[in-house]
Amino acid sequence: MIYLTRRERFNAAHRLFIEEWDDTKNFEVFGKCSNPNWHGHNYELFVTVKGNLNPKTGFVVNLKVLSKIIREHIISKVDHKNLNLDVPFMQGKITSTENVAIAFWEVLAPFINELNCELHCIKVAETENNYIEYYGK
Amino acid sequence: MIYLTRRERFNAAHRLFIEEWDDTKNFEVFGKCSNPNWHGHNYELFVTVKGNLNPKTGFVVNLKVLSKIIREHIISKVDHKNLNLDVPFMQGKITSTENVAIAFWEVLAPFINELNCELHCIKVAETENNYIEYYGK
Amino acid sequence: MIYLTRRERFNAAHRLFIEEWDDTKNFEVFGKCSNPNWHGHNYELFVTVKGNLNPKTGFVVNLKVLSKIIREHIISKVDHKNLNLDVPFMQGKITSTENVAIAFWEVLAPFINELNCELHCIKVAETENNYIEYYGK
Amino acid sequence: MIYLTRRERFNAAHRLFIEEWDDTKNFEVFGKCSNPNWHGHNYELFVTVKGNLNPKTGFVVNLKVLSKIIREHIISKVDHKNLNLDVPFMQGKITSTENVAIAFWEVLAPFINELNCELHCIKVAETENNYIEYYGK
Amino acid sequence: MIYLTRRERFNAAHRLFIEEWDDTKNFEVFGKCSNPNWHGHNYELFVTVKGNLNPKTGFVVNLKVLSKIIREHIISKVDHKNLNLDVPFMQGKITSTENVAIAFWEVLAPFINELNCELHCIKVAETENNYIEYYGK
Amino acid sequence: MIYLTRRERFNAAHRLFIEEWDDTKNFEVFGKCSNPNWHGHNYELFVTVKGNLNPKTGFVVNLKVLSKIIREHIISKVDHKNLNLDVPFMQGKITSTENVAIAFWEVLAPFINELNCELHCIKVAETENNYIEYYGK
């Protein structure tokens, strides 16, 4: 079993808030992340897959294929977007890094499982000081 | 003459667009940076000052003092904000990294010139691949 | 189950040595890390907690709360200190990165367990080339 | 159980290709990595070992000893070399990062097992966007 | 006057040697960089241009245009190549980082001067410990 | 004229204080950097030299030679040392990063001027947020 990780990056705006709460309550829980006019990040996404070595190619998975899947199904949907307003798979969800990571898992897992390997971990870093890891359960 | 640099960081949303242009024209010039619902970045700000050594303290400037000025006059105004909507000194300007760096210079220079040293350079990095440097003229 | 990591940093002096050994023996085992006049590092601390998502907030844990606990119980005790002389929870211990990581675990675990999540890993990096990970057992 | 990681670096040339395939077929599978005149990387190698704390020294393993093993048995064989042509333990293998990591494991495991600890993970990063982790099975 | 920098990366093989010298003499001067079977690097290229602000767009230069020029005239020629064998503008030159930086300047300057700005600096980093800067004279 | 930079690293303890001041006064000016039991850093040193290209070798200066000079005259004196107590060329000086950079310049300049190139800049980074640059006047 070998683990391969691909990093991709995207720049997005977002806001943490609960619609039924007023601004004061949202600020109490989410702090300045609840700013009504949005803020944003240079997100880093690390996709780790695991599988057996293909003895012919020496690959778990062809990186070009993996990168194409991530760009097509994730990066093109979130890069230079507003995570709350522009991203179909985040609709109705709080755009915490936790929820972003879980949503990315749900989008990517079916495509990666067709590649003769398995999605192992989604890691999303919001800043150089904070990141989330999700293993699918 | 000694040069001292302090890095501070902030996370902000923004959008590049010219109001009198329609979305197609804006997209032609600014690409995905013109997304109407905003996007955002983890900006890095490097403030470089120059001056003579204070022979008593061995300092050009006390870093705590410099950092306090940057946080009070820049970071508190832009961190977790929308550069187009929330920042008084960016009003009416295109929020290109170029204009952000020039505006930061104009805000900081008077405060730094009171410190017995001189503002030398404002560097603003938008992503790991792009940055602007401005020397005040 | 979601894993969230928070990075904090501190700058400290320390020395590796065993009191009952003379300088030659200490140098043999600990090399230049046994310098009697101390040396120091920019340490990086990564605290990883795991837990279930709070469906209301989309958080495993509120980062502001986690960061406050780490700063209050660790960073304020070790930053700009001497790990051998100034830090109560390192008294009588060799200040190897291994022991530092274990001590941080013991300090933090009770506070984190009150947060509806669990401490998963303490990672301490001494330089860009060396780090320790401890999972509590 | 404590986990300790040591990073070492090396600069090497390599090429991905299957001898029985022609250039077109190799390019189809391996892309520009199949360039017949080679290309190269600044590889990063992270060796993670696990073991119990030596209560006397506070060490899982003496970093100087671990580093010496890695330099003697890996770095001196691959640094400023061609992974396809110059490295005995890569002979007859495709020099994918996967195969490099597995080969490093096989070389290092016996030496590390003599140190009163166990090899836990070999991580090899080819670029800032791609890395492989191997846990020995 | 504003300075804008764009980073691009490429992975290449090379070798430092003087043809009329034998291997021993080459090794004496160039050390392991003279390995006859090549070695390689993840190079980082930083292109800095300077110019006046376009008051309409807030840009010194459109980053998309600058990036396209660098990719078309440099990256596509050197990425996943052998700098000694595959790169027309390095023919007959020692592939030291110094010569690489000068050659990049000569290739890029004419294209950048058509952009209403000026090439200011070419910086090429070979490893995290070494880099060259060239200002065109 | 070409500029070449070499990075070297060292880990050292230090303390900022003026002997004739009491602890309260020292704390007022130097903050927690005045801790009587020392603290420390992973310092990064960037030595930039400038000169003409040697047309035979394609070098401004042989990196191995430059690195040897820096290690012999700086790193071996400061690595795993106390900058206040162990370093002859810092005796009687406040160990601010400013003074450290100036002292390094004075030590290195004569050796580098013998190399057919000139010392251009000494940059010393104390943390990821602070650094000093000195150009010799």
Side-chain angles (χ1 to χ4, degrees):
Chain A
M1 188 70 75
I2 300 267
Y3 296 76
L4 175 150
T5 299
R6 173 74 188 172
R7 181 186 77 139
E8 301 282 348
R9 294 172 297 122
F10 62 98
N11 308 314
H14 83 133
R15 178 194 175 195
L16 297 182
F17 73 111
I18 289 174
E19 245 188 287
E20 66 204 63
W21 291 352
D22 63 15
D23 281 5
T24 316
K25 181 80 191 286
N26 272 309
F27 187 81
E28 238 177 81
V29 173
F30 296 112
K32 51 193 180 174
C33 297
S34 69
N35 177 33
N37 285 330
W38 322 98
H39 67 284
H41 296 289
N42 299 344
Y43 288 92
E44 289 188 294
L45 164 59
F46 298 82
V47 177
T48 303
V49 304
K50 64 182 169 192
N52 293 311
L53 211 61
N54 176 329
K56 188 76 190 172
T57 59
F59 282 169
V60 170
V61 66
N62 194 319
L63 263 174
K64 288 187 301 177
V65 176
L66 178 60
S67 177
K68 191 161 171 283
I69 287 174
I70 304 172
R71 288 174 190 235
E72 187 175 331
H73 299 286
I74 300 287
I75 302 304
S76 72
K77 312 290 196 217
V78 295
D79 188 33
H80 285 75
K81 302 286 187 195
N82 185 309
L83 298 182
N84 297 67
L85 302 180
D86 296 329
V87 181
F89 56 74
M90 293 305 298
Q91 289 311 300
K93 297 179 191 167
I94 293 175
T95 57
S96 65
T97 317
E98 286 91 332
N99 275 335
V100 169
I102 294 171
F104 286 2
W105 178 285
E106 281 161 11
V107 170
L108 287 175
F111 296 102
I112 285 169
N113 291 341
E114 283 173 24
L115 295 181
N116 234 354
C117 64
E118 231 180 300
L119 183 52
H120 174 67
C121 181
I122 293 291
K123 174 177 165 181
V124 181
E126 203 188 51
T127 75
E128 65 187 48
N129 293 329
N130 307 315
Y131 60 84
I132 290 292
E133 289 160 305
Y134 181 59
Y135 297 85
K137 56 198 167 198
Chain B
M1 188 70 74
I2 299 269
Y3 297 76
L4 175 151
T5 300
R6 173 74 188 173
R7 182 185 76 138
E8 302 281 349
R9 295 173 294 122
F10 62 98
N11 308 314
H14 83 134
R15 179 194 173 194
L16 297 182
F17 73 111
I18 289 174
E19 244 188 286
E20 66 206 61
W21 291 353
D22 63 16
D23 281 4
T24 314
K25 181 80 192 286
N26 273 310
F27 186 82
E28 239 177 81
V29 174
F30 296 113
K32 52 192 180 173
C33 298
S34 68
N35 177 33
N37 285 330
W38 323 98
H39 68 284
H41 297 290
N42 300 343
Y43 288 91
E44 290 189 292
L45 165 59
F46 298 81
V47 177
T48 302
V49 305
K50 63 181 170 194
N52 294 310
L53 211 62
N54 176 328
K56 188 76 191 173
T57 59
F59 281 169
V60 170
V61 66
N62 194 318
L63 263 175
K64 287 186 302 175
V65 175
L66 177 60
S67 177
K68 190 160 171 285
I69 287 172
I70 305 171
R71 288 175 190 234
E72 188 175 331
H73 298 287
I74 300 288
I75 303 302
S76 72
K77 313 288 197 218
V78 294
D79 187 33
H80 284 77
K81 303 286 188 195
N82 184 309
L83 298 182
N84 298 66
L85 302 180
D86 296 328
V87 180
F89 56 76
M90 292 305 297
Q91 288 311 300
K93 297 178 189 167
I94 292 175
T95 57
S96 65
T97 317
E98 285 90 333
N99 276 335
V100 169
I102 294 171
F104 286 1
W105 177 285
E106 281 161 10
V107 171
L108 286 176
F111 295 101
I112 285 169
N113 292 342
E114 284 173 23
L115 293 181
N116 234 353
C117 64
E118 232 182 299
L119 184 53
H120 174 67
C121 182
I122 293 291
K123 174 177 165 181
V124 180
E126 203 187 51
T127 74
E128 65 187 47
N129 293 330
N130 306 315
Y131 61 84
I132 291 292
E133 288 160 305
Y134 181 60
Y135 296 85
K137 57 197 167 199
Chain C
M1 188 71 74
I2 299 270
Y3 297 76
L4 175 151
T5 299
R6 173 74 188 171
R7 182 186 77 138
E8 302 281 349
R9 293 172 296 121
F10 61 98
N11 309 313
H14 83 134
R15 179 194 174 195
L16 296 182
F17 74 111
I18 289 174
E19 244 187 289
E20 66 206 61
W21 291 354
D22 63 15
D23 281 4
T24 315
K25 181 79 191 288
N26 272 310
F27 186 80
E28 240 177 79
V29 174
F30 296 112
K32 51 192 179 174
C33 297
S34 68
N35 176 35
N37 285 330
W38 322 98
H39 66 285
H41 297 290
N42 299 343
Y43 287 92
E44 289 189 293
L45 165 59
F46 297 82
V47 176
T48 303
V49 304
K50 64 182 169 193
N52 293 310
L53 210 63
N54 176 328
K56 187 77 191 174
T57 59
F59 282 170
V60 169
V61 65
N62 194 318
L63 264 175
K64 287 187 301 176
V65 175
L66 178 60
S67 177
K68 189 159 172 284
I69 286 173
I70 304 172
R71 288 175 190 234
E72 186 175 332
H73 298 288
I74 300 286
I75 302 303
S76 71
K77 312 290 197 215
V78 295
D79 187 33
H80 285 75
K81 303 286 187 194
N82 184 310
L83 298 182
N84 297 67
L85 301 180
D86 295 329
V87 180
F89 56 75
M90 291 306 297
Q91 289 311 300
K93 297 178 190 166
I94 293 175
T95 57
S96 65
T97 317
E98 285 91 331
N99 276 336
V100 169
I102 295 171
F104 286 2
W105 178 284
E106 281 161 11
V107 170
L108 286 176
F111 296 102
I112 285 169
N113 292 342
E114 283 173 24
L115 294 181
N116 234 353
C117 64
E118 233 180 298
L119 183 53
H120 174 67
C121 182
I122 294 290
K123 174 177 165 180
V124 180
E126 203 187 50
T127 74
E128 65 187 49
N129 293 330
N130 307 316
Y131 60 83
I132 291 292
E133 289 161 305
Y134 181 59
Y135 297 85
K137 56 198 167 196
Chain D
M1 189 70 76
I2 298 269
Y3 297 77
L4 175 150
T5 299
R6 174 74 188 172
R7 181 184 77 137
E8 301 282 348
R9 293 172 296 121
F10 62 98
N11 308 314
H14 84 133
R15 179 195 174 194
L16 297 183
F17 73 112
I18 289 174
E19 246 188 286
E20 66 205 61
W21 291 352
D22 63 16
D23 281 4
T24 315
K25 180 82 192 285
N26 272 309
F27 186 80
E28 239 177 80
V29 173
F30 296 113
K32 51 193 180 174
C33 297
S34 68
N35 176 34
N37 285 331
W38 322 98
H39 67 285
H41 297 290
N42 300 342
Y43 287 91
E44 289 188 294
L45 165 59
F46 298 81
V47 177
T48 302
V49 305
K50 64 182 169 192
N52 293 312
L53 210 62
N54 176 328
K56 189 75 191 174
T57 59
F59 282 169
V60 169
V61 65
N62 194 319
L63 262 174
K64 287 187 300 177
V65 175
L66 177 60
S67 176
K68 190 161 171 284
I69 287 173
I70 304 171
R71 287 174 191 236
E72 188 175 331
H73 299 288
I74 301 285
I75 303 303
S76 71
K77 312 290 196 215
V78 294
D79 188 32
H80 285 74
K81 303 286 187 195
N82 184 309
L83 298 183
N84 297 67
L85 301 180
D86 297 328
V87 180
F89 56 75
M90 292 306 297
Q91 289 312 300
K93 297 178 189 166
I94 292 175
T95 57
S96 65
T97 317
E98 285 90 332
N99 275 336
V100 170
I102 294 171
F104 286 2
W105 177 283
E106 280 161 11
V107 171
L108 287 175
F111 296 102
I112 285 169
N113 292 341
E114 284 172 24
L115 294 180
N116 233 353
C117 64
E118 231 180 299
L119 183 52
H120 174 66
C121 182
I122 293 291
K123 174 177 165 180
V124 180
E126 203 187 51
T127 75
E128 65 186 49
N129 293 330
N130 306 316
Y131 60 85
I132 291 291
E133 289 160 304
Y134 181 59
Y135 296 85
K137 57 200 165 194
Chain E
M1 189 70 76
I2 299 269
Y3 296 76
L4 175 149
T5 300
R6 173 74 188 171
R7 181 185 77 137
E8 301 282 348
R9 294 172 295 122
F10 62 98
N11 309 313
H14 84 133
R15 179 195 173 193
L16 297 181
F17 73 112
I18 289 174
E19 243 187 288
E20 67 206 60
W21 291 353
D22 64 14
D23 282 4
T24 315
K25 180 81 193 286
N26 272 309
F27 187 81
E28 239 177 79
V29 173
F30 295 113
K32 51 191 180 174
C33 297
S34 68
N35 177 34
N37 285 330
W38 322 97
H39 67 285
H41 297 289
N42 300 342
Y43 288 91
E44 290 189 293
L45 164 60
F46 298 81
V47 176
T48 302
V49 306
K50 63 182 170 193
N52 294 310
L53 210 62
N54 176 328
K56 187 77 190 173
T57 59
F59 282 170
V60 170
V61 65
N62 193 319
L63 264 174
K64 286 186 301 175
V65 175
L66 177 60
S67 177
K68 191 160 171 286
I69 286 173
I70 305 171
R71 289 174 190 234
E72 188 174 330
H73 299 287
I74 300 287
I75 302 302
S76 72
K77 312 289 197 216
V78 295
D79 187 32
H80 285 75
K81 302 285 188 196
N82 185 310
L83 298 182
N84 298 67
L85 302 179
D86 296 329
V87 180
F89 56 76
M90 293 305 298
Q91 288 312 300
K93 298 179 190 167
I94 292 175
T95 58
S96 65
T97 317
E98 285 90 332
N99 276 336
V100 169
I102 294 170
F104 286 1
W105 178 285
E106 282 160 12
V107 170
L108 287 176
F111 295 102
I112 285 170
N113 292 341
E114 284 173 24
L115 294 181
N116 234 353
C117 64
E118 231 181 299
L119 183 52
H120 173 67
C121 181
I122 293 291
K123 174 177 165 181
V124 180
E126 202 187 51
T127 74
E128 65 186 49
N129 294 329
N130 307 316
Y131 59 84
I132 290 292
E133 288 160 305
Y134 181 60
Y135 296 85
K137 56 196 169 200
Chain F
M1 190 69 76
I2 299 268
Y3 297 75
L4 175 151
T5 300
R6 173 74 188 171
R7 181 185 77 139
E8 301 281 350
R9 293 172 296 121
F10 62 98
N11 309 313
H14 83 133
R15 179 195 174 194
L16 296 181
F17 73 111
I18 289 174
E19 243 188 288
E20 66 205 62
W21 291 353
D22 63 15
D23 281 4
T24 315
K25 181 80 192 288
N26 272 310
F27 187 81
E28 240 176 79
V29 173
F30 296 113
K32 51 193 180 174
C33 297
S34 68
N35 177 33
N37 286 329
W38 322 97
H39 67 285
H41 296 291
N42 299 343
Y43 287 91
E44 289 188 294
L45 165 60
F46 298 82
V47 177
T48 302
V49 305
K50 63 182 170 194
N52 294 311
L53 211 61
N54 177 327
K56 188 77 191 172
T57 59
F59 282 170
V60 170
V61 66
N62 194 319
L63 263 175
K64 286 187 301 175
V65 175
L66 177 60
S67 177
K68 191 161 170 284
I69 287 173
I70 304 171
R71 288 174 190 235
E72 187 175 330
H73 298 287
I74 300 286
I75 303 302
S76 72
K77 312 290 197 216
V78 295
D79 188 31
H80 285 75
K81 302 286 188 196
N82 184 310
L83 298 182
N84 298 67
L85 303 179
D86 296 329
V87 180
F89 56 75
M90 292 306 298
Q91 289 311 300
K93 297 178 189 165
I94 293 175
T95 57
S96 65
T97 316
E98 284 91 331
N99 276 334
V100 169
I102 294 170
F104 286 2
W105 178 284
E106 282 161 11
V107 171
L108 286 176
F111 295 102
I112 285 168
N113 292 342
E114 285 172 24
L115 295 180
N116 234 353
C117 65
E118 232 180 300
L119 183 53
H120 174 67
C121 181
I122 293 291
K123 174 177 165 181
V124 180
E126 204 187 50
T127 74
E128 65 186 48
N129 293 330
N130 306 316
Y131 60 84
I132 291 292
E133 288 160 305
Y134 181 61
Y135 296 85
K137 55 197 168 199

